[in-house]
Amino acid sequence: MIVKELIKPSSIAVIGASNNTHKPGGKVLENLLTGDFHGPIYPVNPKETSVQGLKSFPAAADLPPAELAILAIPARFCIETVRVLAEEKGTRAFIILSAGFSEESEAGAAIEHEVVRIIDEHGGSLIGPNCIGVLTPTYNGVFTTPIPKLDPKGCDFISGSGATAVFIMEAGIPKGLTFSQVFSVGNSAQIGVEEVLEYLDTTFDPETSSRVKLLYIESINKPGKLLTHARSLIAKGCRIAAVKAGSSSAGSRAASSHTGALAGSDTAVDALFRKAGIVRCYGREDLTTVAGVFMHPPLPGKRIAIITHAGGPAVMLTDTLSHGGLEVPPIEGPAADALKEKLFPGSSAANPIDFLATGTAEQLGTIIDYCDTQFDNIDAMVVIFGSPGLFPVYDVYDVLHEKMRTCTKPIYPVLPSIINVKDEIESFLSKGNINFPDEVELGRALARVHHTKAAGPEEETLPEVDREEIRRIIAEAEDGYISPRQIQRLLDAAGIPRAGEAVAESPQEAAEAAAKLGYPVVMKVIGPVHKSDVGGVVVNVTGEEQVLREFERIMRIDDAVGVLFQPMLSGLELFAGVKAEAGFGHLVLCGLGGIFVEVLKDVQSGLAPLGPDEALSMIRSLQGYKMIAGTRGKEGVDEHIFAEILARISALVTAAPEIAEMDLNPLLGTAKQVTAVDARIRIEKRN
Ligand code: ADP
Ligand code: MG
């Protein structure tokens, strides 16, 4: 829990404060003193009488009451200090900068545990240990530099790594990014990324809170919490970008089914971010560029005008936007001709709009006005304007600054000459603007933001399934792959259409089964998991003589215990699957069967619970979607039935979380029906 004393303390004690500003305890005090904190600061240092001009206290026990304590002392002294502060000084908020806790040793973990216990007992908050600290509008509680410009409308930034937090700020500051609050959670002993996000969500105020949240995460410890609060914040109008580095240990678990092999744990992270509406980033440039895009008004559409005085970057940006699914539409007609008249000869008013190296500030203003009011096929503008260093460009950036405030369409500035016109860029940024020095990074970020959909509805409406029957089957089942009979019952209880089936263990039963289902039939070995691989599937069996011959043969396959009969169906081969991912719940996957899934890995995934709408958008995102929609006169598959099946699978695993893996591969789909002809289900009951 985050208490208000952590965000807005009225007094701060620095335990281990030092005169040496090359030490964390010295630097954090210096940062506090140079920042905006107005309340009293109490340094504690047993060897000094004054620290950085402030009266120093020999020990925590000698302090007056302090709401927040920042500790920069060895781990072994922390328990006693925290106890004194919590019990005697009324301290409710703690930031422990020091390392040497759970990240280092068992003994360190024990200290960390005890510190948390004491703080919990007093209803307090702990950030860290092993972190760079906290920045809020009230105080600079970090021991590192640079201190970014603090602005209530800047980014709220939560980082699972202290050093990386510094590097991310260093990447963001030159672009003009400002920050509202920064939390480096270190070992997350009490408060992790998820808890800070929860705090930002529950205290969100549409008037005063920042709408941009940045996360750097090394491990997602509470996926459910992350999803809930990210979704909720996005629903309140926030935008969230996150880097998730590394993959969880769950990913290394051996997977025996198709679905298992297709869905690594990173797939679960992707699915969670998609469900929440978080823009996933992969590095510092990426994260800070997306943050810069978030600082602009939302992109209202995908048609971009590129306004430039240099050809190269405009071409590179056009390529990036086009590959990213955005458009740089041609600009034509009388208005375009009129604009061209106002530019120097040789300029182009088509898109990109190139007003040449000699282009002026006034011309830039005119072009922007045309894009804003005359060209209906434009949603937003990117202005590229650098300098070869011959003359200053203050006038150009002033026009840009003004137009960014008066135009209705968003304008993204690409000012690449970070050396030649360093001063002009600095002045531009000091007015609260953002610069994207690299047009390709910007193009990628715009595309990513555009394609990240806002979070879907909180409550998914799942199809009805026979829960009681499902629970009965699961109760009877043992861990591992369950029998064809149990699979049939589960699919029926979930309302997932399957081929009619019969099982035969003797030649006589085989002949009867085939006759009952009606020729042609398909015969499959029961026992081995991958049936075709051992010659255990025969399709299009047309008569009794062939049935008896194949029966004899199949029963001689190793581990064969019987033969499964199905009617021979036709249709497009589809794939659906489920995989349990520790902490995340279940991932539902879909794709086209055969080589599409096996070779091309053309699979989409979503996190259960998954309603039919989300399922449909997964189906439509498949690269091979055209095959489902129907191509070249070939009839496709009813995608709504397929989506309904995916939603039913989601409902099935919601009722039976013990399903660890499930493959329907293939389902045969036509315009009228989608039918599962092969299913594998693995159960894993965890006490
Ligand atoms: P496995 O995946 O264990 O090899 P399947 O039951 O998926 O076994 O069968 C292999 C292939 O045989 C399927 O991918 C499909 O092409 C075809 N097949 C299986 N059952 C039927 C059926 N009832 N109708 C038509 N084709 C089928
Ligand atoms: Mg199969």
Side-chain angles (χ1 to χ4, degrees), residues 289-358:
T289 306
V290 169
V293 170
F294 283 170
M295 286 295 175
H296 289 77
L299 195 60
K302 59 177 176 180
R303 301 163 305 173
I304 315 279
I306 300 175
I307 303 166
T308 185
H309 71 155
V315 178
M316 290 190 276
L317 179 58
T318 306
D319 287 346
T320 309
L321 292 174
S322 307
H323 291 151
L326 299 182
E327 290 168 15
V328 184
I331 297 175
E332 302 158 328
D337 296 339
L339 171 61
K340 196 164 159 26
E341 283 300 305
K342 299 193 161 84
L343 306 177
F344 291 134
S347 299
S348 165
N351 201 3
I353 301 170
D354 189 340
F355 64 124
L356 307 180
T358 46

Side-chain angles (χ1 to χ4, degrees), residues 469-470 472-473 476 484-494 498:
E469 167 74 350
I470 292 171
R472 245 190 323 270
I473 303 163
E476 289 163 16
R485 181 72 200 118
Q486 287 169 314
I487 293 174
Q488 288 173 6
R489 285 174 63 201
L490 269 184
L491 295 184
D492 291 349
R498 60 173 179 87

Side-chain angles (χ1 to χ4, degrees), residues 97-168:
L97 305 176
S98 334
F101 292 85
S102 64
E103 83 288 357
E104 199 177 278
S105 64
E106 288 283 317
I111 299 175
E112 187 173 302
H113 197 77
E114 180 60 10
V115 164
V116 171
R117 199 193 59 74
I118 297 168
I119 295 173
D120 279 346
E121 203 174 81
H122 291 82
S125 300
L126 169 66
I127 292 285
N130 187 24
C131 68
I132 64 163
V134 171
L135 285 170
T136 79
T138 306
Y139 68 101
N140 293 347
V142 293
F143 74 86
T144 53
T145 54
I147 304 288
K149 188 171 156 200
L150 293 170
D151 166 2
K153 292 289 178 188
C155 310
D156 281 327
F157 173 35
I158 315 170
S159 180
S161 154
T164 315
V166 172
F167 306 152
I168 288 171

Side-chain angles (χ1 to χ4, degrees), residues 499 522 524 528-533 537 539 566-570 573 665-666 668 677-678 680:
V522 178
K524 304 181 183 185
V529 173
H530 298 286
K531 301 178 288 292
S532 298
D533 297 354
V537 178
V539 296
Q566 290 178 344
M568 177 78 192
L569 300 177
S570 61
E573 296 207 1
N665 188 22
L668 296 177
V677 299
D678 183 29
R680 270 186 268 281

